[in-house]
Amino acid sequence: MLDFLNTLPGALALGLIWSVMAIGVYITYKVLNIADLTVDGSFVTGGIVAAVLITGGMNFILALLIATLAGAVCGLITGLIHTLLGIPAILAGILTQMALWSINLVISSGKSNIAVSVYSNTVIFSQGLVGDALWKGALIIGLIVAILYIFFGTELGASIRATGNNQDMARAQGINTKMNIVLGLMISNALVALSGALLAQYQGFADINMGKGAIVIGLCAVVIGTAIMSKISQNFLVRLLGCAVGGLIYYIIFQAVVFLGLDTNLLKMLAAVIVIVFLGVPYLQKTYGAKIKKHLDNRKIAKGGDQK
Amino acid sequence: MIELKNITKTFNPGTVNEHKAIDNLNLVLNEGDFVTIIGSNGAGKSTLLNIISGSIDADTGYILLNGTNVANLSEHRRAPYFGHVFQDPMKGTATDMTVIENLALARGRGKKRSIFRWSISGKDKAYYEEKLKSLGLGLESRLYQKVGLLSGGQRQAITLLMATISQKPSFSQIRKDYVKFNPARRDEAKEEVERVYHEQKEIYKNAVKEIVKNHKLNSSEKSHKIKEAYKAFDTKMREYDVTKPVLLLDEHTAALDPKTAAKVLEITERIVREQHLTTIMITHNMNDAIKYGNRLIMMSKGKITVDVSGEEKKKLTISNLLDMFSSASDNDVLSDSAILG
């Protein structure tokens, strides 16, 4: 048990880093109502851009900013493919993700793995100093949540929420829905790339494969977070924080499962199963819950048992 | 004034499913006209409204709004000039957002959505409350509730409000738009609106001076008088506001129960009357078509077949409307009257 507790800070630090990407996924999946698969690619783009720049001697804050902007560009590409060419959002995301695989390799000059050593580079945090990573990660999450909360309270932010909610209504109210979708995708992927850039520094390397299944982990955090936090409040701030909480819970579960000795090759399947359960159970409850309850009630009545 | 010229729309051209929805249609609506449109299913009524609002592009034709063609503007660019209320109560509001957020979105119609302004500011609350109170549905106490929690009738009433509350343009915007929407006599229009503006401004300034000088009044009376003077100035300038939204109602009460439908129609009528809005209302209810508005149009196969207004419309009854209907659309009389009767 003590061993498990010892690994917890590390899990929490990873959870915080992935929470940044979960918030990005939340913006597309919940706010814009789009399942955006670009993230598997833009996550890597963020990691690789940061790794290349930092090992090239750039200041890590500047490198993080540039990696974030690179993510925004990835979102821009998906957005334009979707809105200008009329390709469904999910396919547009897959296409960009595909293209990013090559682009990421070009950025890393063909290397599939770039080491960001803490000994020869200055990085924001690393897994050698978990406490450091924890407070910095929490601070970053706090900043992002605050900025997003303020942004979605402005006229522009509200119009993006309306776009995701009801496009017919948004257009009838003079909102440029196409522009808003592109903007939302850019913000989302910027956060995802930031998350990738943070992870590359934390784990000490960027890998061309580090984004595989990232969308599922992001979705996992979002669905866990919303399921828990929506019980507390429907407030937008609470829901954003919920993504962070979801990310943390995901990594605690992850750590617990590893500790219990599950084959790590099965972890991706576990993530997929969590998403399926969290999305599927509410649906089953909605469609069959009432029917089953009625059926059971009828049985009770038929037995003459519970007739008060 | 809104003018439709040679509007044509064919769906699925060149296929077996080819369907001419609007067939070379011409229509002129005067300022303040309240037109009801009736016609069987597939006559092209909704298509016509969607073409006006921009959610469907016409194949040919012009839509002139006070002389300016808006047919090439995309839907969101056209939105400031049209308020569209759909048949489906789900379509007109953002259900995950609160009542006040929805109203704020509508109020910003036609303005740039800025990142530097809050979508709702504290001082707007009273304005929205007052507007909701005018609906008489008790919605003013539910300002911070999600629209998704409201009933269909309440939502339609809010959509109606949203279609008609676009923010009052500033005086400089009014002057600019007035010139823009009178392209044929641009210089003349500019001179006219500028002259009126400066005249009224002078009158207002002088009135304020008089009031301030007047020692018989106490301060609250003074501020009251100044407000009145400003209101007169404001009212005069509003006469030149050409971009007052044209209200497009697409069977907006069809999905409601009879009692709620009657209530929503009553609210509609009051808003249209109070704001002198040019309105087009599609309805399947012949009684409503006769009762409301000053003009009635009947459509069949993408054409206008009957167009009555004024005194003639007031004398209409359901039976002679049905007669007109059968003579206008001679082939499928039976199905049409069965649907409409």
Side-chain angles (χ1 to χ4, degrees):
Chain A
M1 194 61 203
L2 208 62
D3 285 350
F4 175 62
L5 287 180
N6 280 337
T7 59
L8 258 191
L12 288 179
L14 272 176
L16 282 172
I17 293 169
W18 281 89
S19 293
V20 176
M21 98 95 58
I23 293 171
V25 171
Y26 180 84
I27 290 172
T28 44
Y29 184 65
K30 287 284 184 183
V31 178
L32 276 184
N33 224 346
I34 285 175
D36 174 34
L37 298 186
T38 319
V39 294
D40 279 21
S42 54
F43 187 74
V44 183
T45 306
I48 288 199
V49 166
V52 166
L53 291 177
I54 289 173
T55 50
M58 189 183 269
N59 176 289
F60 64 82
I61 293 180
L62 206 54
L64 279 175
L65 274 176
I66 293 175
T68 310
L69 283 179
V73 174
C74 300
L76 176 71
I77 295 167
T78 303
L80 293 181
I81 294 175
H82 172 49
T83 55
L84 289 187
L85 305 179
I87 293 171
I90 197 156
L91 186 55
I94 294 174
L95 292 170
T96 313
Q97 185 201 116
M98 197 73 177
L100 281 176
W101 171 267
S102 307
I103 293 169
N104 290 335
L105 277 172
V106 171
I107 297 173
S108 71
S109 347
K111 283 185 282 184
S112 61
N113 192 301
I114 302 175
V116 191
S117 160
V118 273
Y119 303 109
S120 46
N121 303 291
T122 320
V123 291
I124 183 164
F125 47 50
S126 81
Q127 52 189 353
L129 285 166
V130 174
D132 187 49
L134 279 178
W135 75 261
K136 279 179 184 163
L139 187 71
I140 291 171
I141 294 278
L143 268 177
I144 290 171
V145 169
I147 291 171
L148 286 179
Y149 183 64
I150 289 170
F151 173 70
F152 283 109
T154 65
E155 284 182 351
L156 182 65
S159 77
I160 292 181
R161 281 193 289 148
T163 302
N165 218 253
N166 186 342
Q167 283 204 36
D168 286 320
M169 172 267 187
R171 270 195 300 271
Q173 298 307 334
I175 293 169
N176 188 345
T177 49
K178 287 185 176 175
M179 196 191 81
N180 278 357
I181 289 174
V182 174
L183 204 57
L185 284 168
M186 286 174 71
I187 297 171
S188 165
N189 281 290
L191 289 172
V192 171
L194 174 63
S195 172
L198 290 173
L199 183 67
Q201 296 179 54
Y202 180 77
Q203 67 186 12
F205 65 91
D207 191 285
I208 193 78
N209 285 321
M210 69 196 264
K212 202 164 254 178
I215 178 73
V216 182
I217 298 176
L219 276 179
C220 221
V222 170
V223 293
I224 294 173
T226 359
I228 293 168
M229 296 306 248
S230 65
K231 299 268 189 304
I232 300 169
S233 164
Q234 287 291 323
N235 185 292
F236 192 68
L237 186 64
V238 176
R239 288 203 245 176
L240 280 178
L241 283 172
C243 300
V245 173
L248 291 175
I249 292 177
Y250 174 80
Y251 267 92
I252 293 172
I253 297 175
F254 186 89
Q255 203 62 246
V257 171
V258 172
F259 188 75
L260 292 174
L262 185 84
D263 184 356
T264 43
N265 287 337
L266 299 179
L267 288 176
K268 290 245 148 90
M269 188 183 75
L270 178 75
V273 170
I274 291 179
V275 173
I276 292 170
V277 168
F278 271 85
L279 293 181
V281 169
Y283 174 81
L284 290 178
Q285 271 177 345
K286 207 171 80 188
T287 33
Y288 300 110
K291 275 183 201 158
I292 293 170
K293 190 171 176 295
K294 212 161 95 186
H295 180 71
L296 291 178
D297 286 351
N298 285 343
R299 279 240 306 245
K300 268 187 199 160
I301 292 166
K303 279 184 184 167
D306 202 30
Q307 281 179 324
K308 280 172 193 167
Chain B
M1 193 175 79
I2 174 164
E3 223 175 323
L4 307 180
K5 274 189 183 168
N6 307 326
I7 301 279
T8 308
K9 177 72 193 177
T10 309
F11 289 112
N12 308 314
T15 68
V16 279
N17 293 323
E18 185 172 295
H19 170 60
K20 205 164 204 176
I22 303 288
D23 188 3
N24 200 21
L25 185 139
N26 291 286
L27 178 65
V28 179
L29 296 185
N30 295 315
E31 198 69 50
D33 261 358
F34 184 167
V35 184
T36 53
I37 301 186
I38 55 171
S40 59
N41 292 327
K45 309 181 298 291
S46 291
T47 309
L48 181 65
L49 239 57
N50 286 330
I51 285 174
I52 296 175
S53 78
S55 43
I56 296 178
D57 275 330
D59 298 335
T60 64
Y62 299 103
I63 302 161
L64 301 177
L65 194 65
N66 297 307
T68 301
N69 184 19
V70 296
N72 298 326
L73 294 180
S74 59
E75 188 182 3
H76 72 270
R77 301 271 307 276
R78 246 185 260 186
Y81 316 124
F82 299 103
H84 202 163
V85 185
F86 309 94
Q87 177 179 356
D88 182 356
M90 307 296 236
K91 237 178 154 184
T93 43
T95 47
D96 267 352
M97 298 172 81
T98 60
V99 173
I100 192 168
E101 281 175 325
N102 272 278
L103 293 175
L105 280 170
R107 206 174 173 212
R109 207 163 65 210
K111 277 180 30 188
K112 200 174 176 312
R113 314 266 168 180
S114 167
I115 193 172
F116 299 111
R117 270 194 306 268
W118 297 114
S119 70
I120 318 158
S121 67
K123 61 176 194 262
D124 294 339
K125 194 185 161 223
Y127 171 82
Y128 294 128
E129 262 175 355
E130 183 201 314
K131 283 282 174 189
L132 284 170
K133 207 173 248 171
S134 73
L135 294 178
L137 296 172
L139 287 168
E140 60 273 15
S141 61
R142 305 179 71 173
L143 218 46
Y144 292 100
Q145 275 185 21
K146 296 246 158 82
V147 172
L149 299 170
L150 304 180
S151 72
Q154 289 169 328
R155 276 192 218 177
Q156 279 310 64
I158 287 177
T159 314
L160 202 57
L161 200 57
M162 286 167 66
T164 53
I165 64 162
S166 62
Q167 199 164 32
K168 279 184 183 175
S170 63
F171 290 165
S172 67
Q173 191 64 42
I174 290 178
R175 278 142 62 203
K176 233 193 281 176
D177 282 343
Y178 187 73
V179 178
K180 187 178 149 201
F181 280 94
N182 282 294
R185 44 182 210 98
R186 188 173 291 267
D187 297 331
E188 208 181 312
K190 187 168 173 124
E191 199 188 318
E192 183 193 349
V193 72
E194 292 299 328
R195 181 172 50 77
V196 171
Y197 173 67
H198 288 292
E199 266 175 28
Q200 292 297 321
K201 200 173 160 188
E202 210 49 43
I203 292 172
Y204 170 63
K205 268 189 182 166
N206 289 336
V208 171
K209 264 184 210 158
E210 287 291 312
I211 294 163
V212 173
K213 266 190 223 157
N214 195 338
H215 295 297
K216 283 177 197 156
L217 301 167
N218 64 29
S219 61
S220 76
E221 279 170 340
K222 272 182 189 170
S223 70
H224 181 70
K225 289 247 175 197
I226 290 174
K227 262 184 200 156
E228 263 182 6
Y230 185 78
K231 207 172 176 188
F233 180 23
D234 189 76
T235 320
K236 189 73 197 170
M237 287 313 292
R238 296 286 158 219
E239 285 173 19
Y240 288 87
D241 180 8
V242 287
T243 57
K244 220 159 41 173
V246 175
L247 193 55
L248 306 172
L249 308 169
D250 190 352
E251 290 186 63
H252 65 307
T253 58
L256 308 175
D257 67 75
K259 202 175 154 208
T260 319
K263 178 88 193 163
V264 171
L265 268 177
E266 189 191 306
I267 294 168
T268 311
E269 203 268 336
R270 198 176 63 226
I271 290 176
V272 170
R273 181 162 37 81
E274 280 170 2
Q275 300 189 28
H276 308 288
L277 295 174
T278 310
T279 305
I280 306 177
M281 178 170 92
I282 295 177
T283 177
H284 265 308
N285 186 321
M286 290 220 171
N287 272 320
D288 291 341
I290 293 169
K291 188 173 160 197
Y292 295 100
N294 62 343
R295 189 168 164 191
L296 184 145
I297 284 173
M298 189 182 285
M299 282 183 71
S300 173
K301 291 182 188 140
K303 284 178 182 294
I304 292 174
T305 48
V306 176
D307 185 348
V308 289
S309 55
E311 286 304 309
E312 200 187 343
K313 181 186 178 259
K314 280 183 190 156
K315 282 184 237 151
L316 277 179
T317 62
I318 289 198
S319 70
N320 56 32
L321 208 53
L322 274 174
D323 287 345
M324 281 182 192
F325 207 91
S326 38
S327 62
S329 50
D330 31 20
N331 344 7
D332 41 38
V333 185
L334 193 66
S335 65
D336 279 339
S337 55
I339 289 161
L340 284 156

